Amino acid sequence: MASELVLNLNDSNFDAEIAASTVPVIVDFWAEWCGPCRMLGPVLDQLATEKAGGVKVVKVNVDENPALSQKYGVRSIPLLLFIKGGEVKETVVGVQSKAALVAKLDALA
């Protein structure tokens, strides 16, 4: 079950949610049919729970939001964007360990 702390964003609410964030944001571009995406989901749920208030975790379904996928040049999924101050600071493709994600978040702090 997905954490209530993980937001599902789309073309209409993405920019507002990212711009309004006062904490670093992890954006997960994913799809229902993507096995590695499903493996990464629980890790992101854990991060959202453990770092509540310190990070915002959001998901964008690439099948439902092609404009966002195109805007950010998504060619492979899962693709994670690390955003701070509305600016993409890091991009990572593929399944990552929780420790690797925490290290990237800590580097943004």
Side-chain angles (χ1 to χ4, degrees), residues 32-55:
E32 196 67 48
W33 48 264
C34 169
C37 298
R38 289 196 306 271
M39 290 170 49
L40 187 59
V43 175
L44 293 172
D45 290 344
Q46 284 179 357
L47 274 180
T49 301
E50 292 172 11
K51 296 199 169 275
V55 66

Side-chain angles (χ1 to χ4, degrees), residues 45-86:
D45 290 344
Q46 284 179 357
L47 274 180
T49 301
E50 292 172 11
K51 296 199 169 275
V55 66
K56 181 185 277 192
V57 178
V58 301
K59 295 173 98 46
V60 175
N61 184 315
V62 296
D63 292 333
E64 296 171 2
N65 301 284
L68 278 175
S69 301
Q70 186 174 15
K71 177 180 178 180
Y72 288 98
V74 177
R75 288 189 170 75
S76 297
I77 55 174
L79 178 124
L80 300 175
L81 300 179
F82 291 82
I83 299 176
K84 184 171 183 187

Side-chain angles (χ1 to χ4, degrees), residues 7 9 13-25 56 83 85-86:
L7 298 174
L9 298 187
N13 65 3
F14 184 86
D15 290 335
E17 283 289 338
I18 298 304
S21 182
T22 57
V23 296
V25 182
K56 181 185 277 192
I83 299 176

